[in-house]
PDB file of all heavy atoms in Angstrom:
ATOM      1  N   PRO A  88      -9.457 -10.389 -11.792  1.00  0.00           N
ATOM      2  CA  PRO A  88     -10.513 -10.967 -10.952  1.00  0.00           C
ATOM      3  C   PRO A  88     -10.101 -12.262 -10.245  1.00  0.00           C
ATOM      4  O   PRO A  88     -10.790 -12.704  -9.325  1.00  0.00           O
ATOM      5  CB  PRO A  88     -11.652 -11.223 -11.944  1.00  0.00           C
ATOM      6  CG  PRO A  88     -10.983 -11.364 -13.262  1.00  0.00           C
ATOM      7  CD  PRO A  88      -9.775 -10.458 -13.220  1.00  0.00           C
ATOM      8  N   ARG A  89      -8.983 -12.874 -10.637  1.00  0.00           N
ATOM      9  CA  ARG A  89      -8.546 -14.125 -10.002  1.00  0.00           C
ATOM     10  C   ARG A  89      -7.853 -13.900  -8.665  1.00  0.00           C
ATOM     11  O   ARG A  89      -7.629 -14.839  -7.914  1.00  0.00           O
ATOM     12  CB  ARG A  89      -7.563 -14.871 -10.910  1.00  0.00           C
ATOM     13  CG  ARG A  89      -8.105 -15.237 -12.269  1.00  0.00           C
ATOM     14  CD  ARG A  89      -6.993 -15.778 -13.155  1.00  0.00           C
ATOM     15  NE  ARG A  89      -5.931 -14.774 -13.261  1.00  0.00           N
ATOM     16  CZ  ARG A  89      -4.641 -15.063 -13.406  1.00  0.00           C
ATOM     17  NH1 ARG A  89      -4.240 -16.307 -13.439  1.00  0.00           N
ATOM     18  NH2 ARG A  89      -3.751 -14.109 -13.507  1.00  0.00           N
ATOM     19  N   ILE A  90      -7.480 -12.662  -8.366  1.00  0.00           N
ATOM     20  CA  ILE A  90      -6.665 -12.398  -7.189  1.00  0.00           C
ATOM     21  C   ILE A  90      -7.259 -11.278  -6.343  1.00  0.00           C
ATOM     22  O   ILE A  90      -8.205 -10.612  -6.747  1.00  0.00           O
ATOM     23  CB  ILE A  90      -5.223 -12.008  -7.587  1.00  0.00           C
ATOM     24  CG1 ILE A  90      -5.210 -10.690  -8.372  1.00  0.00           C
ATOM     25  CG2 ILE A  90      -4.555 -13.116  -8.362  1.00  0.00           C
ATOM     26  CD1 ILE A  90      -3.830 -10.122  -8.612  1.00  0.00           C
ATOM     27  N   GLY A  91      -6.653 -11.076  -5.197  1.00  0.00           N
ATOM     28  CA  GLY A  91      -6.971  -9.899  -4.406  1.00  0.00           C
ATOM     29  C   GLY A  91      -7.885 -10.156  -3.242  1.00  0.00           C
ATOM     30  O   GLY A  91      -7.889 -11.221  -2.629  1.00  0.00           O
ATOM     31  N   PHE A  92      -8.718  -9.164  -2.959  1.00  0.00           N
ATOM     32  CA  PHE A  92      -9.485  -9.129  -1.723  1.00  0.00           C
ATOM     33  C   PHE A  92     -10.468 -10.283  -1.566  1.00  0.00           C
ATOM     34  O   PHE A  92     -10.645 -10.791  -0.469  1.00  0.00           O
ATOM     35  CB  PHE A  92     -10.231  -7.790  -1.617  1.00  0.00           C
ATOM     36  CG  PHE A  92      -9.304  -6.610  -1.683  1.00  0.00           C
ATOM     37  CD1 PHE A  92      -9.371  -5.723  -2.742  1.00  0.00           C
ATOM     38  CD2 PHE A  92      -8.357  -6.394  -0.687  1.00  0.00           C
ATOM     39  CE1 PHE A  92      -8.513  -4.625  -2.803  1.00  0.00           C
ATOM     40  CE2 PHE A  92      -7.494  -5.310  -0.742  1.00  0.00           C
ATOM     41  CZ  PHE A  92      -7.581  -4.421  -1.799  1.00  0.00           C
ATOM     42  N   ASP A  93     -11.120 -10.710  -2.627  1.00  0.00           N
ATOM     43  CA  ASP A  93     -12.153 -11.743  -2.524  1.00  0.00           C
ATOM     44  C   ASP A  93     -11.670 -13.121  -2.966  1.00  0.00           C
ATOM     45  O   ASP A  93     -12.473 -13.961  -3.349  1.00  0.00           O
ATOM     46  CB  ASP A  93     -13.374 -11.340  -3.358  1.00  0.00           C
ATOM     47  CG  ASP A  93     -14.087 -10.131  -2.785  1.00  0.00           C
ATOM     48  OD1 ASP A  93     -14.080  -9.970  -1.545  1.00  0.00           O
ATOM     49  OD2 ASP A  93     -14.646  -9.345  -3.569  1.00  0.00           O
ATOM     50  N   SER A  94     -10.375 -13.342  -2.915  1.00  0.00           N
ATOM     51  CA  SER A  94      -9.816 -14.602  -3.375  1.00  0.00           C
ATOM     52  C   SER A  94      -8.821 -15.125  -2.344  1.00  0.00           C
ATOM     53  O   SER A  94      -8.222 -14.349  -1.598  1.00  0.00           O
ATOM     54  CB  SER A  94      -9.103 -14.379  -4.716  1.00  0.00           C
ATOM     55  OG  SER A  94      -8.390 -15.540  -5.090  1.00  0.00           O
ATOM     56  N   SER A  95      -8.624 -16.444  -2.333  1.00  0.00           N
ATOM     57  CA  SER A  95      -7.607 -17.012  -1.443  1.00  0.00           C
ATOM     58  C   SER A  95      -6.229 -16.964  -2.097  1.00  0.00           C
ATOM     59  O   SER A  95      -5.231 -17.297  -1.468  1.00  0.00           O
ATOM     60  CB  SER A  95      -7.968 -18.444  -1.066  1.00  0.00           C
ATOM     61  OG  SER A  95      -8.036 -19.245  -2.233  1.00  0.00           O
ATOM     62  N   ASP A  96      -6.182 -16.547  -3.362  1.00  0.00           N
ATOM     63  CA  ASP A  96      -4.920 -16.428  -4.094  1.00  0.00           C
ATOM     64  C   ASP A  96      -4.593 -14.973  -4.362  1.00  0.00           C
ATOM     65  O   ASP A  96      -5.456 -14.097  -4.307  1.00  0.00           O
ATOM     66  CB  ASP A  96      -5.002 -17.160  -5.440  1.00  0.00           C
ATOM     67  CG  ASP A  96      -5.132 -18.657  -5.284  1.00  0.00           C
ATOM     68  OD1 ASP A  96      -4.595 -19.212  -4.297  1.00  0.00           O
ATOM     69  OD2 ASP A  96      -5.781 -19.285  -6.133  1.00  0.00           O
ATOM     70  N   ASN A  97      -3.337 -14.741  -4.682  1.00  0.00           N
ATOM     71  CA  ASN A  97      -2.899 -13.402  -5.058  1.00  0.00           C
ATOM     72  C   ASN A  97      -1.694 -13.543  -5.970  1.00  0.00           C
ATOM     73  O   ASN A  97      -1.130 -14.623  -6.121  1.00  0.00           O
ATOM     74  CB  ASN A  97      -2.556 -12.567  -3.816  1.00  0.00           C
ATOM     75  CG  ASN A  97      -2.685 -11.076  -4.058  1.00  0.00           C
ATOM     76  OD1 ASN A  97      -2.863 -10.631  -5.183  1.00  0.00           O
ATOM     77  ND2 ASN A  97      -2.592 -10.306  -2.994  1.00  0.00           N
ATOM     78  N   ALA A  98      -1.304 -12.457  -6.574  1.00  0.00           N
ATOM     79  CA  ALA A  98      -0.080 -12.344  -7.355  1.00  0.00           C
ATOM     80  C   ALA A  98       0.383 -10.914  -7.148  1.00  0.00           C
ATOM     81  O   ALA A  98      -0.439  -9.991  -7.181  1.00  0.00           O
ATOM     82  CB  ALA A  98      -0.342 -12.627  -8.837  1.00  0.00           C
ATOM     83  N   VAL A  99       1.660 -10.723  -6.892  1.00  0.00           N
ATOM     84  CA  VAL A  99       2.166  -9.390  -6.606  1.00  0.00           C
ATOM     85  C   VAL A  99       3.451  -9.143  -7.372  1.00  0.00           C
ATOM     86  O   VAL A  99       4.077 -10.068  -7.894  1.00  0.00           O
ATOM     87  CB  VAL A  99       2.415  -9.185  -5.090  1.00  0.00           C
ATOM     88  CG1 VAL A  99       1.139  -9.355  -4.293  1.00  0.00           C
ATOM     89  CG2 VAL A  99       3.504 -10.095  -4.578  1.00  0.00           C
ATOM     90  N   SER A 100       3.839  -7.884  -7.407  1.00  0.00           N
ATOM     91  CA  SER A 100       5.152  -7.489  -7.900  1.00  0.00           C
ATOM     92  C   SER A 100       5.853  -6.787  -6.754  1.00  0.00           C
ATOM     93  O   SER A 100       5.275  -5.908  -6.110  1.00  0.00           O
ATOM     94  CB  SER A 100       5.034  -6.546  -9.097  1.00  0.00           C
ATOM     95  OG  SER A 100       4.458  -7.213 -10.190  1.00  0.00           O
ATOM     96  N   LEU A 101       7.084  -7.196  -6.481  1.00  0.00           N
ATOM     97  CA  LEU A 101       7.888  -6.596  -5.426  1.00  0.00           C
ATOM     98  C   LEU A 101       8.779  -5.554  -6.092  1.00  0.00           C
ATOM     99  O   LEU A 101       9.740  -5.883  -6.777  1.00  0.00           O
ATOM    100  CB  LEU A 101       8.712  -7.660  -4.712  1.00  0.00           C
ATOM    101  CG  LEU A 101       7.907  -8.862  -4.181  1.00  0.00           C
ATOM    102  CD1 LEU A 101       8.831  -9.884  -3.534  1.00  0.00           C
ATOM    103  CD2 LEU A 101       6.814  -8.417  -3.240  1.00  0.00           C
ATOM    104  N   VAL A 102       8.431  -4.292  -5.908  1.00  0.00           N
ATOM    105  CA  VAL A 102       9.091  -3.185  -6.593  1.00  0.00           C
ATOM    106  C   VAL A 102      10.102  -2.564  -5.640  1.00  0.00           C
ATOM    107  O   VAL A 102       9.741  -2.095  -4.556  1.00  0.00           O
ATOM    108  CB  VAL A 102       8.050  -2.134  -7.047  1.00  0.00           C
ATOM    109  CG1 VAL A 102       8.723  -0.982  -7.765  1.00  0.00           C
ATOM    110  CG2 VAL A 102       6.979  -2.786  -7.923  1.00  0.00           C
ATOM    111  N   THR A 103      11.373  -2.582  -6.052  1.00  0.00           N
ATOM    112  CA  THR A 103      12.443  -1.982  -5.255  1.00  0.00           C
ATOM    113  C   THR A 103      13.247  -1.035  -6.140  1.00  0.00           C
ATOM    114  O   THR A 103      13.020  -0.970  -7.357  1.00  0.00           O
ATOM    115  CB  THR A 103      13.391  -3.059  -4.677  1.00  0.00           C
ATOM    116  OG1 THR A 103      14.117  -3.670  -5.754  1.00  0.00           O
ATOM    117  CG2 THR A 103      12.633  -4.101  -3.880  1.00  0.00           C
ATOM    118  N   GLY A 104      14.188  -0.361  -5.535  1.00  0.00           N
ATOM    119  CA  GLY A 104      15.036   0.539  -6.297  1.00  0.00           C
ATOM    120  C   GLY A 104      15.897  -0.169  -7.320  1.00  0.00           C
ATOM    121  O   GLY A 104      16.315   0.423  -8.311  1.00  0.00           O
ATOM    122  N   SER A 105      16.140  -1.459  -7.115  1.00  0.00           N
ATOM    123  CA  SER A 105      16.997  -2.204  -8.039  1.00  0.00           C
ATOM    124  C   SER A 105      16.221  -3.012  -9.068  1.00  0.00           C
ATOM    125  O   SER A 105      16.823  -3.665  -9.916  1.00  0.00           O
ATOM    126  CB  SER A 105      17.934  -3.127  -7.258  1.00  0.00           C
ATOM    127  OG  SER A 105      17.192  -4.065  -6.525  1.00  0.00           O
ATOM    128  N   GLY A 106      14.902  -2.991  -9.015  1.00  0.00           N
ATOM    129  CA  GLY A 106      14.128  -3.722 -10.012  1.00  0.00           C
ATOM    130  C   GLY A 106      12.804  -4.215  -9.462  1.00  0.00           C
ATOM    131  O   GLY A 106      12.382  -3.839  -8.374  1.00  0.00           O
ATOM    132  N   THR A 107      12.189  -5.089 -10.247  1.00  0.00           N
ATOM    133  CA  THR A 107      10.880  -5.642  -9.895  1.00  0.00           C
ATOM    134  C   THR A 107      10.935  -7.153 -10.006  1.00  0.00           C
ATOM    135  O   THR A 107      11.436  -7.690 -10.985  1.00  0.00           O
ATOM    136  CB  THR A 107       9.784  -5.092 -10.830  1.00  0.00           C
ATOM    137  OG1 THR A 107       9.759  -3.671 -10.708  1.00  0.00           O
ATOM    138  CG2 THR A 107       8.428  -5.655 -10.496  1.00  0.00           C
ATOM    139  N   VAL A 108      10.399  -7.817  -8.982  1.00  0.00           N
ATOM    140  CA  VAL A 108      10.300  -9.270  -8.989  1.00  0.00           C
ATOM    141  C   VAL A 108       8.824  -9.623  -8.975  1.00  0.00           C
ATOM    142  O   VAL A 108       8.090  -9.219  -8.072  1.00  0.00           O
ATOM    143  CB  VAL A 108      11.003  -9.888  -7.752  1.00  0.00           C
ATOM    144  CG1 VAL A 108      10.766 -11.389  -7.691  1.00  0.00           C
ATOM    145  CG2 VAL A 108      12.481  -9.563  -7.757  1.00  0.00           C
ATOM    146  N   ALA A 109       8.401 -10.355  -9.997  1.00  0.00           N
ATOM    147  CA  ALA A 109       7.007 -10.808 -10.067  1.00  0.00           C
ATOM    148  C   ALA A 109       6.861 -12.084  -9.257  1.00  0.00           C
ATOM    149  O   ALA A 109       7.649 -13.017  -9.398  1.00  0.00           O
ATOM    150  CB  ALA A 109       6.604 -11.042 -11.516  1.00  0.00           C
ATOM    151  N   VAL A 110       5.866 -12.105  -8.394  1.00  0.00           N
ATOM    152  CA  VAL A 110       5.523 -13.314  -7.644  1.00  0.00           C
ATOM    153  C   VAL A 110       4.190 -13.770  -8.210  1.00  0.00           C
ATOM    154  O   VAL A 110       3.157 -13.138  -7.981  1.00  0.00           O
ATOM    155  CB  VAL A 110       5.424 -13.038  -6.126  1.00  0.00           C
ATOM    156  CG1 VAL A 110       5.068 -14.317  -5.381  1.00  0.00           C
ATOM    157  CG2 VAL A 110       6.717 -12.440  -5.602  1.00  0.00           C
ATOM    158  N   GLY A 111       4.222 -14.839  -8.980  1.00  0.00           N
ATOM    159  CA  GLY A 111       3.044 -15.304  -9.701  1.00  0.00           C
ATOM    160  C   GLY A 111       1.935 -15.816  -8.802  1.00  0.00           C
ATOM    161  O   GLY A 111       2.075 -15.900  -7.577  1.00  0.00           O
ATOM    162  N   LEU A 112       0.839 -16.175  -9.420  1.00  0.00           N
ATOM    163  CA  LEU A 112      -0.360 -16.636  -8.733  1.00  0.00           C
ATOM    164  C   LEU A 112      -0.022 -17.732  -7.730  1.00  0.00           C
ATOM    165  O   LEU A 112       0.577 -18.758  -8.081  1.00  0.00           O
ATOM    166  CB  LEU A 112      -1.376 -17.157  -9.762  1.00  0.00           C
ATOM    167  CG  LEU A 112      -2.751 -17.505  -9.230  1.00  0.00           C
ATOM    168  CD1 LEU A 112      -3.466 -16.257  -8.727  1.00  0.00           C
ATOM    169  CD2 LEU A 112      -3.576 -18.172 -10.323  1.00  0.00           C
ATOM    170  N   ALA A 113      -0.393 -17.488  -6.469  1.00  0.00           N
ATOM    171  CA  ALA A 113      -0.117 -18.444  -5.400  1.00  0.00           C
ATOM    172  C   ALA A 113      -1.062 -18.171  -4.240  1.00  0.00           C
ATOM    173  O   ALA A 113      -1.708 -17.120  -4.176  1.00  0.00           O
ATOM    174  CB  ALA A 113       1.337 -18.333  -4.946  1.00  0.00           C
ATOM    175  N   ASP A 114      -1.115 -19.117  -3.324  1.00  0.00           N
ATOM    176  CA  ASP A 114      -1.872 -18.947  -2.091  1.00  0.00           C
ATOM    177  C   ASP A 114      -1.324 -17.728  -1.343  1.00  0.00           C
ATOM    178  O   ASP A 114      -0.128 -17.451  -1.371  1.00  0.00           O
ATOM    179  CB  ASP A 114      -1.693 -20.221  -1.251  1.00  0.00           C
ATOM    180  CG  ASP A 114      -2.396 -20.134   0.071  1.00  0.00           C
ATOM    181  OD1 ASP A 114      -3.609 -20.371   0.119  1.00  0.00           O
ATOM    182  OD2 ASP A 114      -1.714 -19.807   1.067  1.00  0.00           O
ATOM    183  N   LYS A 115      -2.200 -17.003  -0.663  1.00  0.00           N
ATOM    184  CA  LYS A 115      -1.787 -15.778   0.026  1.00  0.00           C
ATOM    185  C   LYS A 115      -0.714 -16.036   1.078  1.00  0.00           C
ATOM    186  O   LYS A 115       0.129 -15.184   1.328  1.00  0.00           O
ATOM    187  CB  LYS A 115      -2.999 -15.065   0.630  1.00  0.00           C
ATOM    188  CG  LYS A 115      -3.836 -14.392  -0.438  1.00  0.00           C
ATOM    189  CD  LYS A 115      -4.989 -13.624   0.152  1.00  0.00           C
ATOM    190  CE  LYS A 115      -5.779 -12.937  -0.946  1.00  0.00           C
ATOM    191  NZ  LYS A 115      -6.953 -12.234  -0.437  1.00  0.00           N
ATOM    192  N   ARG A 116      -0.716 -17.200   1.689  1.00  0.00           N
ATOM    193  CA  ARG A 116       0.337 -17.535   2.672  1.00  0.00           C
ATOM    194  C   ARG A 116       1.702 -17.587   1.981  1.00  0.00           C
ATOM    195  O   ARG A 116       2.696 -17.080   2.504  1.00  0.00           O
ATOM    196  CB  ARG A 116      -0.009 -18.858   3.355  1.00  0.00           C
ATOM    197  CG  ARG A 116       1.007 -19.338   4.350  1.00  0.00           C
ATOM    198  CD  ARG A 116       1.069 -18.367   5.514  1.00  0.00           C
ATOM    199  NE  ARG A 116       2.121 -18.745   6.421  1.00  0.00           N
ATOM    200  CZ  ARG A 116       1.982 -18.770   7.719  1.00  0.00           C
ATOM    201  NH1 ARG A 116       0.843 -18.426   8.273  1.00  0.00           N
ATOM    202  NH2 ARG A 116       2.977 -19.125   8.483  1.00  0.00           N
TER     203      ARG A 116
END
Side-chain angles (χ1 to χ4, degrees):
R89 301 171 303 148
I90 64 171
F92 303 115
D93 292 328
S94 172
S95 61
D96 293 329
N97 205 351
V99 300
S100 294
L101 307 178
V102 180
T103 68
S105 62
T107 301
V108 174
V110 180
L112 188 66
D114 178 82
K115 286 183 179 177
R116 178 65 185 225

